Amino acid sequence: MAVPPSRPKGAGNPFKLSIDPADRLLPSGSGGSGGHEPPPSFPKKARQPKEPRKPRAPKKSGGGGGRKWVKRLLLWGLTLAIWAGIGLGGVVAYYALDLPDIDRMTAQTRRPSAVFQSVEGEVFAAYGDLYGEPLDLGEMSPFIAQAVLATEDRRFYSHWGVDPIGLARALFVNLRAGHTVQGGSTITQQLAKNLFLTPDRTMKRKVQEVLMALWLEKRFSKEQILGLYLNRVYLGSGTFGVDAAAKRYFDVSARKVDVYQAAVLAGLLKAPSRYSPLNDPEASRKRTADVLDNMVKAGYIDQKTADTVQVTGAAQLVRRPIPAGRYFADWVMGNLDQFGEVAGKDIIVHTTLDISLQRKVEADLKAMITGPGAKAHATQGAVVVMSPDGAVRALTGGKDYDDSQFNRATQGLRQPGSSFKPFVYLTAMEMGHTPDDIFEDKPVRLGNWSPGNYTGKYLGPIPLRQALAESVNTVAVRLVEEVGPARVIATARRLGITSDLRNDATLALGTSEVSLLEMTTAYAALANGGFGVGAFGVSHITDPAGKVLYQRQGGGFGQVVSPVALSRMHDMMGAVITQGSGKAARLDRPAAGKTGTTQDYRDAWFMGFTADYVAGVWMGNDDYRIEMKKVTGGGLPAQLWKQVMVAAHRGLPARPLRTPEVPAEPGAAESVGDFVAGAAQAAGDAARGIGGAIDDLLKGIFGR
């Protein structure tokens, strides 16, 4: 069924139109020509049909949609980058507001330094921050800068404070190693950190470090930056700067440092304590070899030079003797706050220490403890040697300072045993007794206490000289009961004992704990003619330029022992060494002393003196519960005392003890009592005597 053609919309033609079928066969593009009549016109022109659209090419997969996503990603990335830049700028600005005052870099605070010199002028200890002479880069040995640049920052002269290439290289090396083995900080960054910042590894510190590194590069030349760095960098053992380190390790100025020494200093930058030639020579040697290899790779030296200096340099690397006197230095350092003149200043402390004798004392004590002492279960000891005026010439507070810094000579309080008896006998001599007075050696009982003798035997009637020489306990107890414990305490106070003392008869056997230093100080009064002294270790103090800040003057307490009593004590204490319990301490010259052994062999002492030196020795164990194997004061301590005193007197002529002249008249004994009457009565109250004596001693420390 044929479908009638539709009429144009809106034509409004009511007539039926017939079309010649031939019209449909006209070829395309003929333009309607061919002799046929045109179609009839209508009142309104009909709209011509539209040409058919050309078919679209098929869409490729991911075409236009993919390009849209790329554009979106680029847009998002650009936006994110902009905001990240804004955020980073904000962080930098925030941290920049909190930067230290970089214009005041030369005014950074540091701990004042205290350098200790022996009587020979040798530096044996240092505290605080040690800075050497500030030198320009051109004044230093050129090998120093070469070694540091080759090891720390080879691109120093080509970067602008921060080295991206160095950072990338360090990151690659660390990733390959699996841990941090190389840093990427430049010398400029390290200078910024050393001058202004803390070593904390925080984002804030790193950002500020970069900012200040950039500021330093803009403000100073490369030579100035490198010079500042070498003058300020920490190089171990309390030293800051290459000059201080060169003097500390090699005893030379940074001007004269050779290739090998420069490599040692550069090697310290990585880990000053670990690679210190003083702490670990072998680790230092290996690190130095690495630095020399770096110098070869950087072109500063050739391989032949590196090989040669490794052989010759290591042999004479550190010209510093074995450390000594550290216990002594700690003791002096602990008392420096008494000198207001030196507070907050760099100082040179000129001490009374005889460094040669100190080394001998330390070596002899260690040999005794590790040798015979080890077999006898004696694991520790202490020694003090002083002049009769109180100047400490040697002091060691233990067998090894590296193992234990506790000072057993000054801080340790132990029972002195029979070495305390001279204060009892001196009191008796002052009250009129003589060395020839006879006392009964027989059992004695005081309440529930019945002391016996070390030998377990009783000698019957014996003179006081023999009783002291053989350390008879029963006679000492009878004496203290006769003269009174309070008088004995007063005597000990006059001579320099400051520790608390028991006010009972057990005082005679040395049951009250004291320090070795105060015992030696008290014996000094018996050695110097009867004059009270205070132990001191400082003669004078100067600043680094040599200006005297403190000079010791005086310091004694006057005569505290009468000539008569002192002469009698020399008689009795000399017999201890020549024929009594201290024969192992006999010297080639007049000497006097006393042994001391406490209950169950927990402590062993020997105290003694000559005309030139006073010395005290203690041996025992830090754990008071551990007993030694029958070590008495007349054994190992007396032997060690003799070794020390032989070394101290080397080259000195033998001299008699400083015994004052004694009046020959019969009334001499009464004059003794007159001499000490005032002191004895004043010290009747032991507690009051303790306080006064402590005040006097504090005023006398270091001559103040």
Side-chain angles (χ1 to χ4, degrees), residues 426 429 435 465 468 523-530 561-578 590-593 609-611 656-660 662:
L426 176 59
M429 296 300 107
R465 181 186 297 104
L468 183 61
Y523 270 64
L526 301 175
N528 65 20
V561 181
S562 77
V564 174
L566 183 60
S567 177
R568 293 170 180 173
M569 290 304 300
H570 285 181
D571 177 6
M572 292 188 292
M573 295 178 72
V576 173
I577 292 179
T578 58
F609 55 88
T610 65
L657 298 178
R658 298 184 185 182
T659 304
V662 179

Side-chain angles (χ1 to χ4, degrees), residues 1-7 16-17 19 24:
M1 178 176 177
V3 178
S6 61
R7 57 184 179 140
K16 182 178 180 181
L17 177 65
I19 298 175
R24 301 179 183 174

Side-chain angles (χ1 to χ4, degrees), residues 5-17 40-48:
S6 61
R7 57 184 179 140
K9 293 181 180 180
N13 188 358
F15 300 101
K16 182 178 180 181
L17 177 65
S41 59
F42 298 94
K44 289 185 179 180
K45 185 178 179 180
R47 186 174 61 181
Q48 298 296 321

Side-chain angles (χ1 to χ4, degrees), residues 474-498:
T474 59
V475 173
V477 172
R478 294 181 189 279
L479 270 180
V480 78
E481 279 291 284
E482 178 180 319
V483 302
R487 289 184 181 274
V488 175
I489 292 173
T491 299
R493 292 276 180 260
R494 278 188 281 125
L495 271 64
I497 300 296
T498 60

Side-chain angles (χ1 to χ4, degrees), residues 116-119 124 328 332 349-353 537-540:
F116 291 80
Q117 290 186 356
S118 67
V119 292
F124 64 91
F328 175 92
V332 174
V349 183
H350 302 265
T351 71
T352 61
L353 189 73
V538 177
S539 61
H540 62 287

Side-chain angles (χ1 to χ4, degrees), residues 342 346-350 540-550:
V342 305
D346 291 339
I347 56 174
I348 309 296
V349 183
H350 302 265
H540 62 287
I541 300 175
T542 66
D543 64 14
K547 180 183 177 181
V548 177
L549 303 176
Y550 163 79

Side-chain angles (χ1 to χ4, degrees), residues 382 397 406-415 499 513-518 605 618 622:
F406 178 71
N407 196 331
R408 295 156 189 83
T410 62
Q411 297 172 300
L413 296 176
R414 304 299 286 254
Q415 293 182 348
S499 296
E513 296 178 338
V514 296
S515 75
L516 178 61
L517 180 62
E518 63 182 314
W605 301 62
W618 168 84
D622 287 338

Side-chain angles (χ1 to χ4, degrees), residues 621-687:
N621 296 292
D622 287 338
D623 188 341
Y624 191 76
R625 297 168 297 180
I626 299 177
E627 302 175 14
M628 295 180 288
K629 285 186 176 181
K630 296 187 177 181
V631 176
T632 66
L636 298 183
Q639 297 171 27
L640 179 58
W641 184 91
K642 179 177 181 177
Q643 294 175 13
V644 169
M645 291 295 263
V646 167
H649 289 84
R650 187 167 290 117
L652 295 179
R655 297 198 298 157
L657 298 178
R658 298 184 185 182
T659 304
E661 294 184 4
V662 179
E665 64 272 15
E670 287 76 12
S671 67
V672 176
D674 294 339
F675 178 84
V676 300
Q681 291 299 324
D685 184 346

